[in-house]
Amino acid sequence: MQPLIFSKIKKTKISTFPLILLVSLMLSLTFIVPNVRAQKPPLSLTNIIIALSSNKVTLAERNEILTNAVKERGITFELTPQIEKELENNGAAKVLIEAIKQKSVVVKIAPTIEPKLTPTATPMPTPTPVEPDFAFYKKQADENAAKGELEIAITNYTKSIELNSKNPAVYLNRALVFFKKKDYESAINDYDKVIEINPKELIAYSNRANSFEKLGNVEKAVADYKKILELDDKNEAAINNLKRIEDERAREIQRQKDEIAALAQTQNNKEKSKEEQTIVKTESTDNSQIVDLGRINNSMIIEMATPVYSQIAKSLNLQGQVTVQITIDEEGKVTSAESSEGHKLLREAAELAARRSRFKPAIVNGKAVKAKGYIVYNFVR
């Protein structure tokens, strides 16, 4: 058992004790007869410090009186380094401290004796196992996701959702894991659920827009960014993303135009060069005639280029059929391709694909001749 240590008593507080208490203590230490002295109780730490602080006699006299009293009556406390320091600070002489050391005791508290009880054999109930709950699975899933254990995280998030399907945070976290796995459609489904529970959750709109962009669905991404601005018209991320998409659209349109113009120029240069090198033949008038093939069928195709269905055309929801009129030379090469119906972006893509294609030459009387016909391209999202 640890010894009892009394708290430090400052000199500034001792001066407030009544004068009569100091005088009474000093008289009890010096003028009592032997038969009475033997009945006096041991000195406490407070008794000694109060006596040291009295100014009725000199400090040397106080130390002498207290030394004799300690030797005769004993003390009620154990002298520790802290208490010894406190006594020195209050003027205790070495002889007094030595007397206290000799009389130092450890105050012990009598232990409480518990009554002995006759033990009875009480059967211990079998503890009921605790079933994992929503919080357990969510915590496990969060830890799995942080460690990169994506499949396990999805499994635990799914279990937590089965226990509580109204907590949007779980759907949001599972969507982030799906996004890391590049399963953008599953991520979008979870973001849909978050928005269904909390229609003002900006993070869900922003992350869903990002997922739509990954899938190439720019229009839906734009719709989500605009929804964010409806809820927070100063949202910088949404503003910047909308501007970025518009800039990308403009660049894509310009790129398409530049590509088409470059290919058209190349084709014109080839045709011009071919015209300059052509030797007019007069052996048979059959060679100068142009055969109308109608709609080009598969039996005539050597190489059919597929038109580029640009992201810009998709985002603008451009679709439908485009008919391209073509002219084929004696080698089966397309010398001209023109369309008159459909959106300009679709027509340009279809004409470009037609010029890149190659067909079997038309044969009349055993000789290859020029021919014309048309190709139908169907643009569907």
Side-chain angles (χ1 to χ4, degrees):
M1 180 177 293
Q2 294 293 329
L4 298 177
I5 300 176
F6 293 83
S7 58
K8 185 175 179 181
I9 302 176
K10 297 184 178 179
K11 290 183 180 181
T12 55
K13 293 183 178 180
I14 293 178
S15 61
T16 62
F17 281 84
L19 179 59
I20 188 169
L21 176 61
L22 298 176
V23 175
S24 173
L25 178 61
M26 296 302 294
L27 290 175
S28 68
L29 295 175
T30 55
F31 298 110
I32 55 178
V33 293
N35 60 338
V36 177
R37 182 180 302 153
Q39 299 174 2
K40 290 291 184 179
L43 297 178
S44 68
L45 178 61
T46 304
N47 295 147
I48 295 174
I49 292 179
I50 291 174
L52 285 171
S53 302
S54 173
N55 57 4
K56 296 301 180 180
V57 293
T58 65
L59 181 59
E61 291 172 333
R62 281 175 267 165
N63 272 286
E64 182 180 356
I65 295 170
L66 287 169
T67 300
N68 293 332
V70 168
K71 290 179 179 179
E72 294 176 5
R73 295 168 54 178
I75 58 176
T76 62
F77 59 92
E78 180 186 11
L79 183 65
T80 65
Q82 292 87 354
I83 293 178
E84 183 177 346
K85 184 67 176 177
E86 178 66 20
L87 290 170
E88 290 176 353
N89 292 340
N90 283 277
K94 291 184 178 180
V95 64
L96 173 56
I97 292 176
E98 186 62 32
I100 293 173
K101 286 181 179 180
Q102 294 176 3
K103 295 292 182 177
S104 180
V105 296
V106 177
V107 179
K108 296 183 178 180
I109 299 176
T112 302
I113 300 176
E114 298 289 341
K116 293 184 178 181
L117 301 176
T118 303
T120 58
T122 303
M124 296 296 292
T126 303
T128 303
V130 179
E131 292 291 337
D133 58 3
F134 164 81
F136 171 83
Y137 284 119
K138 181 181 182 299
K139 182 175 181 295
Q140 289 294 109
D142 290 341
E143 292 175 356
N144 296 142
K147 295 176 183 178
E149 302 167 346
L150 304 185
E151 291 295 342
I152 302 176
I154 290 173
T155 299
N156 283 324
Y157 279 132
T158 302
K159 289 179 179 178
S160 65
I161 289 172
E162 291 173 356
L163 295 170
N164 182 2
S165 61
K166 299 299 182 182
N167 189 304
V170 184
Y171 290 103
L172 191 63
N173 291 350
R174 189 173 69 172
L176 292 173
V177 176
F178 280 130
F179 190 89
K180 287 182 180 179
K181 290 176 83 284
K182 298 184 179 180
D183 186 355
Y184 304 121
E185 291 183 355
S186 295
I188 289 171
N189 290 335
D190 274 353
Y191 290 131
D192 290 343
K193 193 65 179 179
V194 175
I195 293 170
E196 177 185 330
I197 298 172
N198 181 10
K200 295 184 178 181
E201 182 57 74
L202 298 183
I203 295 177
Y205 286 109
S206 179
N207 290 354
R208 189 173 70 173
N210 194 8
S211 300
F212 279 134
E213 285 197 68
K214 293 294 184 181
L215 292 175
N217 198 333
V218 180
E219 287 304 312
K220 288 188 177 181
V222 169
D224 274 347
Y225 289 132
K226 289 182 178 179
K227 182 62 179 180
I228 293 174
L229 293 179
E230 289 179 12
L231 299 172
D232 177 12
D233 59 357
K234 295 182 180 179
N235 190 289
E236 293 185 2
I239 294 172
N240 292 336
N241 281 321
L242 284 174
K243 184 178 184 303
R244 171 180 56 79
I245 290 175
E246 291 301 323
D247 291 344
E248 289 176 357
R249 283 177 171 176
R251 286 194 296 270
E252 179 65 16
I253 292 174
Q254 187 60 47
R255 187 190 68 80
Q256 292 277 349
K257 289 181 178 179
D258 293 343
E259 181 180 352
I260 291 171
L263 289 173
Q265 183 63 43
T266 301
Q267 187 66 31
N268 291 335
N269 292 339
K270 288 181 180 179
E271 291 177 358
K272 183 177 180 181
S273 175
K274 185 177 180 180
E275 290 175 359
E276 293 174 350
Q277 298 174 8
T278 300
I279 299 175
V280 179
K281 296 181 179 180
T282 59
E283 296 178 353
S284 174
T285 58
D286 291 338
N287 289 339
S288 63
Q289 66 179 336
I290 297 179
V291 178
D292 190 352
L293 301 175
R295 182 168 181 170
I296 303 298
N297 56 49
N298 293 336
S299 63
M300 300 184 62
I301 297 174
I302 295 177
E303 182 180 354
M304 176 66 79
T306 302
V308 177
Y309 195 0
S310 69
Q311 188 63 45
I312 296 300
K314 291 180 181 179
S315 65
L316 296 175
N317 199 27
L318 301 179
Q319 53 187 337
Q321 291 186 345
V322 175
T323 300
V324 181
Q325 300 290 337
I326 61 172
T327 302
I328 305 172
D329 64 10
E330 293 87 341
E331 296 178 358
K333 297 179 180 179
V334 177
T335 58
S336 67
E338 294 183 1
S339 60
S340 58
E341 296 180 356
H343 191 275
K344 183 179 180 181
L345 287 178
L346 300 183
R347 288 166 51 195
E348 291 174 346
E351 290 172 1
L352 181 60
R355 291 191 184 97
R356 291 176 174 174
S357 301
R358 186 178 177 186
F359 305 92
K360 296 178 182 179
I363 305 298
V364 177
N365 297 328
K367 295 182 180 181
V369 297
K370 294 180 180 180
K372 64 180 179 178
Y374 65 92
I375 306 171
V376 179
Y377 295 98
N378 193 21
F379 292 84
V380 180
R381 293 193 59 180

